[in-house]
Amino acid sequence: MRIGSGYDVHKLVEGRDLIIGGVTIPYEKGLLGHSDADVLTHAIMDSLLGAAALGDIGKHFPDTDETYKGVSSLVLLQRVKELLDESFYLVENIDATIIAQKPKMAPYIETMRENIARVLGIELNQINIKATTEEGLGFTGEGLGISCNAVCLLTSAADYRYDDRSYVFPEKTGGCAGCSGCSLKNR
């Protein structure tokens, strides 16, 4: 198993759509960036790339490349999924936190989860998204920007066998991860 973490931040400005998790959220400002500046999707992509030791989004989608100007981050996430597939990694789970004073994220979180799960080809119960404010503190608390943290867990497909059209985790000897130190191995 491999763990990755990601972080992204973008400044809030007038004249841009606010897009988070592939959802356009009605708000007076949007996030400034080369692509659609989707902080949630960017943090998730960085966590996935980091867990797979494949660099970061700046390496794969540089802001100096006009190809990515204004592009949907869900399109970029699809490319990250392809990179994971090429390296035989499976997403076990993702947990992300959006940090924004305004607007409220709760009404949009379920759709964000659905968007991310659909693009990555994972189940809805493999992705958790939550939001918090910073109680008026710092740049996010002052409404100057929005940030996001994400962590993920990947498993190598080499750890699985394909049996009757589904993946089966290989049997381990002993208890947890092959350890012989407790009675869990008999359960």
Side-chain angles (χ1 to χ4, degrees), residues 8-20 27-40 42 57 63 68-71 73 139 143-147:
D8 195 42
V9 60
H10 286 276
K11 181 179 180 178
L12 280 164
V13 297
E14 293 181 2
R16 294 265 306 189
D17 287 335
L18 178 58
I19 300 169
I20 301 179
Y27 192 58
E28 63 205 35
K29 295 180 180 179
L31 295 170
L32 181 63
H34 186 66
S35 65
D36 62 4
D38 183 337
V39 292
L40 171 63
H42 291 185
I57 60 175
D63 62 7
Y68 306 117
K69 186 167 179 63
V71 70
S73 292
F139 72 90
L144 300 175
I146 296 176
S147 65

Side-chain angles (χ1 to χ4, degrees), residues 4-179:
S5 67
Y7 174 78
D8 195 42
V9 60
H10 286 276
K11 181 179 180 178
L12 280 164
V13 297
E14 293 181 2
R16 294 265 306 189
D17 287 335
L18 178 58
I19 300 169
I20 301 179
V23 178
T24 303
I25 299 171
Y27 192 58
E28 63 205 35
K29 295 180 180 179
L31 295 170
L32 181 63
H34 186 66
S35 65
D36 62 4
D38 183 337
V39 292
L40 171 63
T41 305
H42 291 185
I44 289 171
M45 288 189 294
D46 265 345
S47 72
L48 295 167
L49 290 167
L54 294 172
D56 61 19
I57 60 175
K59 173 184 175 182
H60 294 279
F61 316 110
D63 62 7
T64 55
D65 188 336
E66 288 300 308
T67 305
Y68 306 117
K69 186 167 179 63
V71 70
S72 166
S73 292
L74 294 179
V75 170
L76 304 180
L77 182 62
Q78 176 62 45
R79 178 62 187 132
V80 169
K81 180 188 179 345
E82 292 166 4
L83 291 169
L84 294 176
D85 290 347
E86 291 167 11
S87 297
F88 302 104
Y89 286 112
L90 303 170
V91 176
E92 288 289 335
N93 76 303
I94 297 167
D95 186 29
T97 304
I98 304 164
I99 302 142
Q101 196 65 35
K102 291 181 185 175
K104 293 292 185 192
M105 298 290 151
Y108 310 101
I109 286 178
E110 228 24 60
T111 305
M112 292 174 191
R113 290 179 66 218
E114 291 166 1
N115 289 342
I116 303 293
R118 176 181 39 78
V119 172
L120 291 175
I122 61 176
E123 298 296 320
L124 203 53
N125 67 2
Q126 290 176 274
I127 179 160
N128 186 57
I129 299 170
K130 51 200 178 291
T132 189
T133 69
E134 292 204 294
E135 304 296 329
L137 300 173
F139 72 90
T140 55
E142 293 174 16
L144 300 175
I146 296 176
S147 65
C148 185
N149 291 299
V151 293
C152 73
L153 180 65
L154 300 181
T155 301
S156 172
D159 292 339
Y160 289 81
R161 74 176 194 277
Y162 196 68
D163 185 26
D164 193 27
R165 299 190 310 177
S166 63
Y167 287 101
V168 179
F169 197 74
E171 287 189 37
K172 303 239 183 221
T173 57
C176 303
C179 166

